Amino acid sequence: MTVIQNIILPEQALQTPLNMYFRLNKQDFDDKDAGEGGSCYDYRRKILTLAADKKYYFNTYYNGLSVNVWKENCHIDTLMLKLRGQGRVQVEIAHIKREFDARRSAKTVLAYRLLAQKSLNLTAEGCLLPIEDWPHIEDGMLYITLRARKDGGKAVEFYGGSFETEDKPLHNVKLGLVITHFNRKAYVLPAMQRLKRDILQHPYYGRYIGVTIIDNSSNITAEEADGVAVLPNANYGGAGGFARGLLHCKDSGFSHCLFMDDDASCETESIYRTLALLQYTRFDNLAVAGAMLRECEPYCLWCKGEFYKNFIITSSKRGMDMRKTGDLMWAEEEISHKSDKTLYGGFWHFAFPIAKTDYYPFPFFVRGDDMLFGLVNNFRIVTMNGIGNFADDFSSKESPFICYLALRCLFMQEIITANSSVYSYLRKYKRFIRGQLYSYNYAHARAYSLSAHNLLKGLPFWQANMDMTKIRARLAKEAGGETIRKQDKPAKGRRRFPRDENLIRKIWRKFTWQGFLLPGCFIRKQTALIAKNFSGDPAASFRRRSIFYYEEDLSHGYYARHDKKRFFTEWWLSWKIRLQMARQLKGVIADYKNNWHKLASEAFWRQTYNLPHAGAESPAASPAAAPAAHPAGGDKLS
């Protein structure tokens, strides 16, 4: 018997809502009910004590089985249910799916169906139940319900369970988990201990999964590693770290690679399920993309796969509540696999077959390496409920450095994967600049200009500045400030939210250049408080003397001010960059299209890390030397 999915109970360390694991009615998403009616969950022992008069539903994010993902991508003929615990329970195996209801105004309804029902005396070793309807189910969610039997006499405890199959795996998968780290020991060291305990020391998963930390800061000691493989490495960002990890996995005999964030903030079950999908898939190019859940709201889906097209990144299923049954069902639809070549998976959780990897990460440093990697490699990408990581959303991390990375990232994706006109690049660059200047983010605008300027220098510039040292120094000098930091909020200020403008106000803003052509007497003195996002809010910024951009709790942020001199300086610079792009971009694009793959090849990264031949490596390998770099943009940008 092989486990394809465990029925798990929550860990206190993750602070995940209980109703992402079990609930007290079919569609309940209120945590308070989980502790009522005599039920009690023990976080320390990971045991759920069932109340005699309550029914527990496991049609949840972590414990529902997504039928369509398994059926479309894997070959599994038999399915069994194993439950572990103590006491007598009534078990129901049920199925739920979205169906069209022609009698109602709603397009779809949730249709529930009971497949099997049985009373069991639970044991710690586990009781097996066959799921006989498995061959006849094609989509929806399979789940169980539990009710303690009154005739049991003793308190009923539930330890967990699993969905298992008698079928043998189709592939002998050896999964290499790669984490790139740079000066975040507070996050990576606990993650290493958790992965060591839950994976490396596990009697089953330890045989199929390895863990390697790529230490770009080269500061994890042998004592801190505590038996986990650590490779000291030159700092070429996430792209370089993951490329180094991919080389290590290939040389060490792994069949698949899993890229993850340095805090590995997820249920370890996400990794187990990734392994099972790869073992039973019918496609040798299957890749698994994990979802991203918001760390501050663990039930809120930030994205479940992302799409790129025409300079636009679209996060699929954003904002869905993973406590709600309806949202769970909707989240599993329409993203079964990569059909239109625009879907990719973020490197916070992305597993793929090494043999089907035609291109390695392009040396973006960070921002864009995962996007291009997913778009240019011929992977069949799938997502699934229960496979995902927790992270802060990216909008509050926006800074001039991130703007520099973002523009070149989007332009390179478009150059390599599309055939857009030069005018489309000029228009996009203009919109970037206008959005930042109209919201008083002059350093952000300067970063965009520097990024566009350096993009015109071609591939030699990328190769010579892989570590970004000189570029970061120049950004600090020319585009400093405007980064979120601990800051006292203004004594007097007013929160501003996105607003619908009337036509007269829009025309006024347009013809006064966002108020920068108005005399000072028309500018309001009161500070506007605006939540930090990927871009500013020109409508909320109009005629404000100063803006305080803040994170959610108002304790961190920065001030931006109405400054006519800086506005016109950056606007004039952007015009000069646009003229330069109009003259040079066509030829630059042609060169990128013909030669980009040279910097995304296995040979390039082997040369970079002085690994000319494939072979077993020692975890104590010395960091690669950085190539000599010419100054980051030696010509003056002014």
Side-chain angles (χ1 to χ4, degrees):
M1 300 289 287
T2 304
V3 175
I4 66 167
Q5 179 170 315
N6 289 291
I7 298 173
I8 63 173
L9 296 172
E11 290 191 21
Q12 194 165 19
L14 290 177
Q15 298 292 311
T16 316
L18 291 175
N19 42 40
M20 292 177 72
Y21 301 83
F22 60 89
R23 60 174 113 241
L24 293 180
N25 62 57
K26 290 181 181 179
Q27 299 186 53
D28 166 64
F29 59 98
D30 189 353
D31 250 357
K32 66 183 179 64
D33 288 341
E36 293 180 355
S39 64
C40 178
Y41 180 65
D42 186 336
Y43 277 100
R44 185 179 61 84
R45 298 165 60 216
K46 295 187 71 172
I47 292 177
L48 174 64
T49 302
L50 307 184
D53 58 343
K54 292 289 183 180
K55 190 174 183 178
Y56 296 81
Y57 292 80
F58 290 79
N59 56 337
T60 56
Y61 180 75
Y62 283 113
N63 288 322
L65 188 139
S66 300
V67 178
N68 60 313
V69 179
W70 290 104
K71 291 282 187 172
E72 288 180 8
N73 299 285
C74 301
H75 184 83
I76 298 175
D77 291 328
T78 62
L79 191 65
M80 309 281 286
L81 171 67
K82 177 183 280 189
L83 299 175
R84 296 178 294 103
Q86 173 184 291
R88 189 166 178 80
V89 297
Q90 180 173 291
V91 182
E92 292 180 350
I93 301 173
H95 176 251
I96 179 176
K97 63 183 295 186
R98 287 164 55 91
E99 290 184 346
F100 178 75
D101 189 350
R103 298 171 299 175
R104 302 184 181 183
S105 59
K107 293 183 178 180
T108 58
V109 294
L110 297 179
Y112 295 84
R113 184 162 66 100
L114 179 64
L115 303 180
Q117 187 176 31
K118 189 170 183 178
S119 294
L120 288 177
N121 287 314
L122 296 180
T123 65
E125 293 75 24
C127 302
L128 275 174
L129 283 175
I131 302 178
E132 296 175 352
D133 288 274
W134 173 250
H136 313 298
I137 304 172
E138 295 299 329
D139 56 6
M141 177 194 293
L142 198 66
Y143 68 97
I144 67 166
T145 69
L146 296 177
R147 185 195 294 271
R149 292 293 299 268
K150 294 182 179 180
D151 57 351
K154 297 181 180 179
V156 178
E157 295 182 341
F158 180 59
Y159 306 154
S162 56
F163 291 99
E164 305 183 4
T165 181
E166 295 176 332
D167 302 346
K168 292 184 178 179
L170 300 180
H171 307 279
N172 182 22
V173 174
K174 188 177 180 184
L175 180 63
L177 193 160
V178 173
I179 290 175
T180 297
H181 159 257
F182 183 77
N183 282 338
R184 279 169 47 101
K185 282 189 177 184
Y187 297 92
V188 75
L189 295 182
M192 290 166 62
Q193 290 304 310
R194 189 167 64 252
L195 294 172
K196 178 182 177 181
R197 179 195 67 207
D198 295 343
I199 293 180
L200 300 181
Q201 295 177 345
H202 194 281
Y204 174 77
Y205 294 107
R207 290 183 287 161
Y208 299 100
I209 305 175
V211 178
T212 303
I213 311 299
I214 306 300
D215 185 12
N216 282 356
S217 49
S218 300
N219 59 5
I220 298 177
T221 65
E223 292 75 18
E224 291 170 331
D226 194 23
V228 178
V230 175
L231 293 176
N233 197 49
N235 183 25
Y236 300 133
F242 286 125
R244 181 68 176 88
L246 178 52
L247 290 172
H248 172 75
C249 287
K250 182 173 184 177
D251 293 348
S252 301
F254 289 95
S255 63
H256 292 71
C257 196
L258 169 58
F259 291 161
M260 288 188 69
D261 277 345
D262 58 3
D263 56 1
S265 182
C266 69
E267 283 284 0
T268 313
E269 175 64 18
S270 295
I271 303 171
Y272 298 164
R273 290 181 192 177
T274 299
L275 174 67
L277 280 170
L278 298 174
Q279 288 176 322
Y280 282 94
T281 181
R282 294 181 286 111
F283 304 97
D284 58 4
N285 65 336
L286 188 84
V288 181
M292 178 184 285
L293 299 158
R294 296 193 69 196
E295 204 159 47
C296 58
E297 296 176 309
Y299 55 84
C300 182
L301 193 62
W302 179 256
C303 71
K304 192 169 183 280
E306 293 190 294
F307 295 88
Y308 172 81
K309 193 172 184 179
N310 297 331
F311 299 99
I312 298 173
I313 300 171
T314 305
S315 296
S316 178
K317 314 297 184 183
R318 178 176 292 184
M320 288 192 168
D321 190 332
M322 294 296 95
R323 301 169 298 179
K324 297 182 180 180
T325 307
D327 282 9
L328 284 174
M329 302 305 298
W330 178 242
E332 283 293 48
E333 296 184 8
E334 298 182 354
I335 316 181
S336 56
H337 61 86
K338 177 179 178 178
S339 57
D340 58 359
K341 303 298 182 183
T342 65
L343 174 64
Y344 68 94
F347 279 177
W348 54 81
H349 187 118
F350 190 69
F352 56 92
I354 295 175
K356 295 298 178 178
T357 305
D358 299 320
Y359 301 100
Y360 277 51
F362 188 85
F364 281 107
F365 195 77
V366 294
R367 279 288 177 109
D369 48 346
D370 51 1
M371 192 187 309
L372 188 62
F373 187 79
L375 293 175
V376 298
N377 282 298
N378 187 28
F379 297 138
R380 178 186 175 92
I381 300 175
V382 299
T383 66
M384 187 168 75
N385 285 345
I387 299 180
N389 288 38
F390 302 101
D392 293 327
D393 52 40
F394 295 134
S395 58
S396 63
K397 300 178 182 178
E398 196 77 355
S399 67
F401 180 57
I402 297 300
C403 287
Y404 177 95
L405 298 169
L407 182 138
R408 68 178 196 166
C409 155
L410 288 179
F411 280 23
M412 285 299 290
Q413 314 300 325
E414 196 69 14
I415 288 170
I416 294 168
T417 64
N419 294 298
S420 298
S421 66
V422 170
Y423 172 73
S424 65
Y425 293 91
L426 296 175
R427 182 177 57 187
K428 190 66 178 179
Y429 169 66
K430 178 183 177 181
R431 288 179 177 175
F432 277 146
I433 294 296
R434 183 175 58 193
Q436 298 299 346
L437 292 184
Y438 279 14
S439 54
Y440 307 172
N441 285 301
Y442 315 109
H444 286 62
R446 174 59 66 97
Y448 280 139
S449 294
L450 180 60
S451 183
H453 179 69
N454 288 343
L455 188 73
L456 297 175
K457 298 177 182 178
L459 291 172
F461 183 86
W462 289 84
Q463 187 171 1
N465 291 278
M466 285 171 57
D467 64 359
M468 295 289 291
T469 302
K470 296 185 184 300
I471 293 174
R472 282 181 290 180
R474 183 168 182 179
L475 281 170
K477 180 181 178 181
E478 298 184 21
E482 297 182 9
T483 56
I484 296 290
R485 57 189 178 274
K486 189 170 181 60
Q487 187 86 260
D488 293 331
K489 68 177 181 179
K492 293 183 179 180
R494 180 183 176 187
R495 288 202 190 197
R496 306 289 295 178
F497 302 98
R499 56 182 292 174
D500 294 327
E501 289 185 291
N502 59 50
L503 181 60
I504 294 176
R505 193 174 190 272
K506 286 182 179 179
I507 294 174
W508 193 19
R509 279 202 306 112
K510 180 178 180 180
F511 284 96
T512 62
W513 275 25
Q514 187 64 6
F516 283 96
L517 294 180
L518 293 173
C521 60
F522 284 91
I523 307 302
R524 298 177 179 176
K525 295 182 179 181
Q526 187 182 46
T527 299
L529 278 60
I530 300 177
K532 180 62 176 169
N533 209 321
F534 291 110
S535 61
D537 185 349
S541 308
F542 183 48
R543 295 197 304 125
R544 294 285 172 175
R545 189 172 301 280
S546 64
I547 301 169
F548 180 69
Y549 287 102
Y550 65 89
E551 283 190 327
E552 292 183 2
D553 61 356
L554 288 175
S555 64
H556 289 71
Y558 67 88
Y559 286 92
R561 291 175 171 82
H562 183 98
D563 187 328
K564 288 179 170 55
K565 181 179 179 181
R566 290 200 67 183
F567 173 86
F568 287 108
T569 297
E570 298 302 332
W571 191 258
W572 174 242
L573 175 61
S574 73
W575 268 104
K576 293 200 292 186
I577 297 293
R578 271 180 273 175
L579 290 173
Q580 188 181 11
M581 291 172 68
R583 291 194 303 266
Q584 302 178 18
L585 193 55
K586 186 175 182 179
V588 171
I589 289 174
D591 183 62
Y592 275 130
K593 282 185 175 293
N594 292 330
N595 298 297
W596 74 269
H597 62 277
K598 296 178 182 177
L599 267 63
S601 66
E602 179 181 346
F604 168 76
W605 286 108
R606 287 196 179 278
Q607 181 180 5
T608 298
Y609 289 120
N610 299 317
L611 297 171
H613 302 292
E617 317 176 45
S618 166
S622 59
H630 63 66
D635 53 330
K636 188 177 181 181
L637 181 65
S638 60

